[in-house]
Amino acid sequence: MQIQDYINAGKIASEVRELARKKYHVGSTLLEICESIEKEIERRGGKCAFPVNTSLNEIAAHYTAEPNDATVVKETDLLKIDLGVQINGYIADTAVTVCYDPSYDYLVQAAESALREAISIMHAGTKSSDVGKTIENTVKQMGGIPIANLSGHSLEQYTIHAGKSVPNIWSIGSFSFQPTEAYACEPFVTTPEGSGFVREGRTRNIFSLATRKRAKDEESNRMIDFIWKRFNMLPFASRWLIPEWDEKTARNLLNGLVQNKIVRSYPILVEANEQRVAQAEHTFIPQENGVIVTTI
Ligand code: MN
Ligand code: MN
Protein backbone atom coordinates (compact mmCIF):
# COMPACT_ATOMS: atom_id res chain seq x y z
CA MET A 1 0.00 0.00 0.00
CA GLN A 2 1.39 3.40 -1.00
CA ILE A 3 0.40 5.57 1.96
CA GLN A 4 1.99 8.69 0.49
CA ASP A 5 0.00 8.41 -2.75
CA TYR A 6 -3.20 7.96 -0.72
CA ILE A 7 -2.35 11.05 1.31
CA ASN A 8 -1.41 13.18 -1.71
CA ALA A 9 -4.60 12.17 -3.54
CA GLY A 10 -6.58 12.95 -0.37
CA LYS A 11 -5.15 16.43 -0.05
CA ILE A 12 -6.17 17.32 -3.61
CA ALA A 13 -9.63 15.78 -3.13
CA SER A 14 -10.16 17.72 0.07
CA GLU A 15 -9.11 21.08 -1.42
CA VAL A 16 -11.35 20.62 -4.44
CA ARG A 17 -14.31 19.44 -2.31
CA GLU A 18 -14.03 22.55 -0.14
CA LEU A 19 -14.04 24.77 -3.24
CA ALA A 20 -17.20 22.97 -4.35
CA ARG A 21 -18.78 23.39 -0.92
CA LYS A 22 -18.20 27.16 -0.84
CA LYS A 23 -19.24 27.91 -4.40
CA TYR A 24 -22.80 29.05 -5.11
CA HIS A 25 -23.99 26.58 -7.75
CA VAL A 26 -27.49 27.93 -8.44
CA GLY A 27 -27.71 28.89 -12.13
CA SER A 28 -24.79 26.65 -13.17
CA THR A 29 -25.32 23.59 -15.35
CA LEU A 30 -24.27 20.16 -14.12
CA LEU A 31 -21.84 20.05 -17.05
CA GLU A 32 -20.16 23.27 -15.89
CA ILE A 33 -19.90 21.93 -12.34
CA CYS A 34 -18.40 18.58 -13.41
CA GLU A 35 -15.92 20.14 -15.81
CA SER A 36 -14.74 22.86 -13.42
CA ILE A 37 -14.15 20.36 -10.60
CA GLU A 38 -12.38 17.90 -12.89
CA LYS A 39 -10.18 20.75 -14.13
CA GLU A 40 -9.29 21.73 -10.53
CA ILE A 41 -8.25 18.12 -9.79
CA GLU A 42 -5.96 18.04 -12.83
CA ARG A 43 -4.57 21.52 -12.15
CA ARG A 44 -3.30 20.16 -8.82
CA GLY A 45 -1.57 17.20 -10.45
CA GLY A 46 -4.20 14.58 -9.68
CA LYS A 47 -6.18 12.37 -12.03
CA CYS A 48 -9.92 11.87 -11.73
CA ALA A 49 -10.60 8.43 -10.23
CA PHE A 50 -14.13 8.63 -11.70
CA PRO A 51 -16.30 11.29 -13.34
CA VAL A 52 -17.52 13.88 -10.84
CA ASN A 53 -20.99 12.76 -9.71
CA THR A 54 -23.62 15.50 -9.53
CA SER A 55 -26.71 13.74 -8.22
CA LEU A 56 -29.74 15.98 -7.64
CA ASN A 57 -32.47 15.56 -5.00
CA GLU A 58 -33.97 12.03 -5.03
CA ILE A 59 -31.07 10.74 -7.16
CA ALA A 60 -28.75 9.42 -4.46
CA ALA A 61 -25.73 8.55 -6.59
CA HIS A 62 -24.12 7.74 -9.94
CA TYR A 63 -25.25 10.67 -12.10
CA THR A 64 -22.61 12.54 -14.06
CA ALA A 65 -23.12 15.22 -16.71
CA GLU A 66 -23.89 14.15 -20.27
CA PRO A 67 -21.75 15.71 -23.04
CA ASN A 68 -24.21 18.60 -23.51
CA ASP A 69 -25.94 18.47 -20.15
CA ALA A 70 -28.02 21.63 -19.76
CA THR A 71 -29.58 20.72 -16.37
CA VAL A 72 -29.41 23.90 -14.28
CA VAL A 73 -29.15 23.88 -10.47
CA LYS A 74 -32.17 25.62 -8.87
CA GLU A 75 -32.52 27.28 -5.46
CA THR A 76 -34.78 24.46 -4.28
CA ASP A 77 -32.28 21.73 -5.21
CA LEU A 78 -30.20 19.51 -3.02
CA LEU A 79 -26.99 18.60 -4.89
CA LYS A 80 -24.50 15.89 -3.97
CA ILE A 81 -21.03 16.43 -5.40
CA ASP A 82 -18.98 13.24 -5.19
CA LEU A 83 -15.43 13.34 -6.49
CA GLY A 84 -12.46 10.99 -6.73
CA VAL A 85 -8.75 11.66 -7.17
CA GLN A 86 -6.14 9.03 -7.96
CA ILE A 87 -2.37 9.08 -7.92
CA ASN A 88 -0.77 5.91 -9.36
CA GLY A 89 -4.18 4.29 -8.88
CA TYR A 90 -4.40 5.10 -5.15
CA ILE A 91 -7.77 6.73 -4.65
CA ALA A 92 -9.30 9.46 -2.50
CA ASP A 93 -13.10 9.35 -2.59
CA THR A 94 -15.03 12.20 -0.96
CA ALA A 95 -18.39 13.94 -1.21
CA VAL A 96 -20.26 17.02 -0.06
CA THR A 97 -23.94 17.97 -0.25
CA VAL A 98 -24.91 21.55 -1.05
CA CYS A 99 -28.45 22.64 -0.27
CA TYR A 100 -29.99 26.09 -0.50
CA ASP A 101 -33.38 25.13 0.92
CA PRO A 102 -33.17 25.47 4.73
CA SER A 103 -35.94 22.93 5.28
CA TYR A 104 -33.62 20.17 4.00
CA ASP A 105 -30.52 21.34 5.81
CA TYR A 106 -31.08 18.74 8.55
CA LEU A 107 -30.39 16.00 5.99
CA VAL A 108 -27.01 17.51 5.20
CA GLN A 109 -26.20 17.95 8.90
CA ALA A 110 -27.27 14.37 9.66
CA ALA A 111 -24.99 12.94 6.95
CA GLU A 112 -22.05 15.08 8.14
CA SER A 113 -22.61 14.23 11.83
CA ALA A 114 -22.98 10.52 11.12
CA LEU A 115 -19.69 10.56 9.20
CA ARG A 116 -17.97 12.43 12.04
CA GLU A 117 -19.31 10.03 14.68
CA ALA A 118 -18.35 6.97 12.62
CA ILE A 119 -14.79 8.24 12.17
CA SER A 120 -14.51 9.04 15.87
CA ILE A 121 -15.01 5.38 16.88
CA MET A 122 -12.75 3.93 14.19
CA HIS A 123 -9.31 2.41 14.58
CA ALA A 124 -7.61 -0.80 13.44
CA GLY A 125 -9.81 -3.61 14.71
CA THR A 126 -13.11 -1.69 14.91
CA LYS A 127 -15.97 -3.87 13.69
CA SER A 128 -17.88 -2.68 10.64
CA SER A 129 -21.21 -3.48 12.34
CA ASP A 130 -20.34 -0.94 15.08
CA VAL A 131 -19.75 1.70 12.41
CA GLY A 132 -23.12 0.90 10.83
CA LYS A 133 -24.84 1.12 14.19
CA THR A 134 -23.22 4.50 14.96
CA ILE A 135 -24.28 5.91 11.59
CA GLU A 136 -27.85 4.62 11.91
CA ASN A 137 -28.26 5.96 15.46
CA THR A 138 -26.82 9.39 14.62
CA VAL A 139 -28.96 9.79 11.52
CA LYS A 140 -32.16 8.79 13.34
CA GLN A 141 -31.41 11.10 16.28
CA MET A 142 -31.23 13.95 13.80
CA GLY A 143 -34.59 13.16 12.23
CA GLY A 144 -33.43 11.33 9.09
CA ILE A 145 -33.38 7.78 7.77
CA PRO A 146 -30.16 6.10 6.56
CA ILE A 147 -30.17 4.46 3.12
CA ALA A 148 -29.69 0.78 3.93
CA ASN A 149 -28.59 -0.47 0.53
CA LEU A 150 -25.84 2.09 -0.08
CA SER A 151 -22.56 1.72 1.72
CA GLY A 152 -18.94 2.73 1.93
CA HIS A 153 -16.26 0.36 0.67
CA SER A 154 -12.69 -0.83 0.84
CA LEU A 155 -10.34 0.61 -1.80
CA GLU A 156 -7.46 -0.96 -3.69
CA GLN A 157 -5.10 0.32 -6.36
CA TYR A 158 -7.25 1.15 -9.43
CA THR A 159 -10.29 -0.39 -7.66
CA ILE A 160 -12.95 1.78 -6.02
CA HIS A 161 -15.19 -0.97 -4.67
CA ALA A 162 -12.67 -3.54 -3.52
CA GLY A 163 -15.05 -6.01 -1.90
CA LYS A 164 -15.76 -4.94 1.68
CA SER A 165 -18.84 -2.83 2.47
CA VAL A 166 -18.83 -0.16 5.19
CA PRO A 167 -22.50 -0.25 6.24
CA ASN A 168 -24.79 2.69 6.98
CA ILE A 169 -27.07 0.64 9.25
CA TRP A 170 -26.61 -2.01 11.88
CA SER A 171 -26.22 -5.28 9.99
CA ILE A 172 -25.37 -8.92 10.60
CA GLY A 173 -21.98 -10.04 9.38
CA SER A 174 -18.96 -7.94 10.10
CA PHE A 175 -15.28 -7.44 9.38
CA SER A 176 -12.57 -5.61 11.31
CA PHE A 177 -10.88 -2.58 9.78
CA GLN A 178 -7.26 -3.27 8.83
CA PRO A 179 -4.35 -0.79 8.94
CA THR A 180 -3.12 -2.21 5.62
CA GLU A 181 -6.25 -1.10 3.76
CA ALA A 182 -7.99 2.16 2.82
CA TYR A 183 -11.75 2.58 3.13
CA ALA A 184 -14.44 5.10 2.23
CA CYS A 185 -17.26 5.81 4.66
CA GLU A 186 -20.32 7.48 3.14
CA PRO A 187 -23.59 7.91 5.02
CA PHE A 188 -26.63 8.64 2.82
CA VAL A 189 -29.65 10.17 4.55
CA THR A 190 -33.25 10.64 3.45
CA THR A 191 -36.41 12.09 5.01
CA PRO A 192 -38.85 10.22 7.31
CA GLU A 193 -41.12 9.82 4.26
CA GLY A 194 -38.32 8.00 2.44
CA SER A 195 -38.14 4.21 2.12
CA GLY A 196 -34.51 4.09 3.19
CA PHE A 197 -33.63 2.19 0.02
CA VAL A 198 -32.50 3.13 -3.48
CA ARG A 199 -33.62 1.49 -6.71
CA GLU A 200 -31.93 1.58 -10.10
CA GLY A 201 -33.08 4.34 -12.45
CA ARG A 202 -33.14 4.25 -16.24
CA THR A 203 -30.27 6.66 -16.90
CA ARG A 204 -26.81 5.16 -17.26
CA ASN A 205 -24.01 7.63 -17.91
CA ILE A 206 -21.06 6.20 -15.99
CA PHE A 207 -19.07 3.35 -17.54
CA SER A 208 -16.01 1.20 -16.91
CA LEU A 209 -14.03 -1.42 -18.76
CA ALA A 210 -15.32 -4.85 -17.68
CA THR A 211 -12.72 -7.04 -19.39
CA ARG A 212 -9.64 -6.74 -21.60
CA LYS A 213 -11.35 -8.79 -24.30
CA ARG A 214 -11.10 -7.48 -27.88
CA ALA A 215 -14.01 -6.34 -30.05
CA LYS A 216 -14.65 -7.36 -33.65
CA ASP A 217 -13.98 -4.05 -35.41
CA GLU A 218 -10.97 -1.80 -35.49
CA GLU A 219 -12.61 1.39 -34.25
CA SER A 220 -14.10 -0.37 -31.20
CA ASN A 221 -10.66 -1.78 -30.40
CA ARG A 222 -9.19 1.70 -30.69
CA MET A 223 -11.78 2.88 -28.15
CA ILE A 224 -10.93 -0.02 -25.81
CA ASP A 225 -7.24 0.89 -25.99
CA PHE A 226 -8.05 4.57 -25.36
CA ILE A 227 -10.18 3.69 -22.30
CA TRP A 228 -7.57 1.30 -20.88
CA LYS A 229 -4.73 3.79 -21.36
CA ARG A 230 -6.61 6.78 -19.91
CA PHE A 231 -8.83 5.24 -17.22
CA ASN A 232 -7.49 1.71 -16.61
CA MET A 233 -10.45 -0.23 -15.09
CA LEU A 234 -11.75 2.93 -13.34
CA PRO A 235 -15.09 4.56 -14.25
CA PHE A 236 -15.38 7.14 -17.02
CA ALA A 237 -18.03 9.33 -18.67
CA SER A 238 -18.97 9.40 -22.34
CA ARG A 239 -17.96 13.10 -22.43
CA TRP A 240 -14.38 11.96 -21.69
CA LEU A 241 -14.31 10.20 -25.10
CA ILE A 242 -14.87 13.55 -26.85
CA PRO A 243 -13.12 15.03 -28.89
CA GLU A 244 -11.26 11.78 -29.69
CA TRP A 245 -14.62 10.76 -31.25
CA ASP A 246 -17.54 13.05 -32.03
CA GLU A 247 -20.51 12.72 -29.72
CA LYS A 248 -22.64 10.50 -31.96
CA THR A 249 -19.80 8.14 -32.90
CA ALA A 250 -18.69 7.90 -29.26
CA ARG A 251 -22.23 7.00 -28.20
CA ASN A 252 -22.62 4.34 -30.91
CA LEU A 253 -19.26 2.70 -30.24
CA LEU A 254 -19.85 2.80 -26.49
CA ASN A 255 -23.32 1.22 -26.84
CA GLY A 256 -21.75 -1.58 -28.87
CA LEU A 257 -19.12 -2.21 -26.21
CA VAL A 258 -21.81 -2.27 -23.51
CA GLN A 259 -23.92 -4.73 -25.53
CA ASN A 260 -20.89 -6.98 -25.96
CA LYS A 261 -20.20 -6.74 -22.20
CA ILE A 262 -16.74 -5.32 -22.78
CA VAL A 263 -17.84 -2.11 -21.02
CA ARG A 264 -20.11 -2.03 -17.97
CA SER A 265 -22.64 0.79 -17.47
CA TYR A 266 -23.87 1.96 -14.07
CA PRO A 267 -27.50 3.01 -13.51
CA ILE A 268 -28.34 6.05 -11.42
CA LEU A 269 -29.61 5.13 -7.94
CA VAL A 270 -32.87 6.77 -6.90
CA GLU A 271 -34.57 6.91 -3.50
CA ALA A 272 -37.42 4.39 -3.82
CA ASN A 273 -40.05 6.85 -2.48
CA GLU A 274 -38.59 9.74 -4.52
CA GLN A 275 -37.44 11.51 -1.36
CA ARG A 276 -34.39 13.74 -1.24
CA VAL A 277 -31.06 12.27 -0.21
CA ALA A 278 -27.95 13.89 1.32
CA GLN A 279 -24.48 12.35 1.47
CA ALA A 280 -21.12 12.96 3.13
CA GLU A 281 -17.96 10.95 2.47
CA HIS A 282 -14.35 10.61 3.55
CA THR A 283 -11.54 8.16 2.77
CA PHE A 284 -9.47 6.87 5.68
CA ILE A 285 -6.75 4.44 6.72
CA PRO A 286 -7.17 2.79 10.16
CA GLN A 287 -4.31 3.08 12.67
CA GLU A 288 -3.73 1.61 16.14
CA ASN A 289 -5.19 4.66 17.90
CA GLY A 290 -7.57 6.14 15.36
CA VAL A 291 -7.59 6.78 11.64
CA ILE A 292 -5.75 8.85 9.07
CA VAL A 293 -8.55 10.65 7.22
CA THR A 294 -6.85 11.28 3.87
CA THR A 295 -9.60 13.65 2.69
CA ILE A 296 -9.97 15.69 5.89
MN1 MN B 1 -17.75 8.85 -3.57
MN1 MN C 1 -17.37 5.95 -2.30
Side-chain angles (χ1 to χ4, degrees):
M1 185 174 71
Q2 293 297 328
I3 268 215
Q4 201 52 50
D5 286 340
Y6 270 122
I7 287 172
N8 293 345
K11 183 167 186 289
I12 295 171
S14 153
E15 283 174 17
V16 174
R17 182 199 61 229
E18 289 312 301
L19 284 181
R21 190 199 303 273
K22 282 173 205 135
K23 199 158 166 184
Y24 187 62
H25 297 282
V26 172
S28 298
T29 65
L30 297 183
L31 181 63
E32 287 166 344
I33 295 169
C34 287
E35 285 187 336
S36 79
I37 292 172
E38 288 164 5
K39 213 190 282 169
E40 288 292 342
I41 290 171
E42 283 161 12
R43 207 169 63 78
R44 287 168 170 76
K47 284 186 177 171
C48 295
F50 51 82
V52 170
N53 285 209
T54 47
S55 305
L56 280 171
N57 304 321
E58 70 278 7
I59 302 172
H62 294 177
Y63 184 93
T64 193
E66 297 282 0
N68 285 305
D69 205 315
T71 314
V72 173
V73 178
K74 300 188 296 289
E75 259 177 39
T76 50
D77 282 336
L78 183 151
L79 171 65
K80 290 155 294 291
I81 299 175
D82 191 334
L83 59 103
V85 177
Q86 59 108 339
I87 293 177
N88 299 320
Y90 296 98
I91 298 162
D93 185 1
T94 189
V96 60
T97 301
V98 292
C99 171
Y100 308 100
D101 181 343
S103 58
Y104 288 99
D105 199 48
Y106 77 102
L107 294 180
V108 180
Q109 298 312 321
E112 293 276 351
S113 299
L115 180 57
R116 228 174 6 248
E117 292 297 320
I119 283 173
S120 77
I121 65 156
M122 262 192 271
H123 53 80
T126 302
K127 284 199 287 187
S128 61
S129 55
D130 287 336
V131 170
K133 190 162 67 183
T134 300
I135 291 172
E136 179 171 6
N137 288 343
T138 309
V139 167
K140 286 181 173 168
Q141 274 163 23
M142 295 183 70
I145 293 183
I147 303 283
N149 62 341
L150 284 176
S151 57
H153 44 93
S154 54
L155 294 151
E156 277 170 19
Q157 191 183 22
Y158 291 110
T159 308
I160 297 173
H161 291 262
K164 293 177 187 163
S165 291
V166 181
N168 288 327
I169 55 159
W170 184 86
S171 48
I172 307 167
S174 195
F175 66 89
S176 299
F177 290 95
Q178 301 299 317
T180 50
E181 212 165 24
Y183 304 87
C185 181
E186 46 185 317
F188 287 83
V189 181
T190 190
T191 75
E193 288 74 43
S195 70
F197 289 87
V198 289
R199 58 164 177 83
E200 294 187 353
R202 258 198 232 142
T203 305
R204 291 171 180 257
N205 56 24
I206 297 175
F207 306 88
S208 70
L209 209 53
T211 158
R212 300 245 37 227
K213 236 170 50 190
R214 305 304 289 170
K216 289 197 180 88
D217 65 289
E218 206 178 307
E219 203 53 15
S220 295
N221 282 326
R222 197 167 80 77
M223 183 172 275
I224 294 170
D225 292 339
F226 180 90
I227 293 167
W228 169 250
K229 208 173 140 208
R230 293 283 176 104
F231 320 126
N232 197 290
M233 303 298 273
L234 290 169
F236 62 92
S238 60
R239 57 194 163 77
W240 288 0
L241 303 172
I242 299 162
E244 191 68 22
W245 290 270
D246 66 60
E247 193 183 328
K248 202 173 156 222
T249 312
R251 228 173 253 290
N252 288 339
L253 286 169
L254 197 53
N255 284 342
L257 293 177
V258 170
Q259 270 165 22
N260 288 318
K261 297 192 160 55
I262 293 171
V263 165
R264 181 180 294 133
S265 67
Y266 299 89
I268 58 167
L269 299 171
V270 187
E271 210 290 319
N273 283 353
E274 314 268 302
Q275 289 295 301
R276 291 176 185 212
V277 179
Q279 174 202 16
E281 179 175 24
H282 274 310
T283 297
F284 64 90
I285 300 167
Q287 304 283 283
E288 282 312 310
N289 300 312
V291 289
I292 299 171
V293 181
T294 65
T295 52
I296 202 76

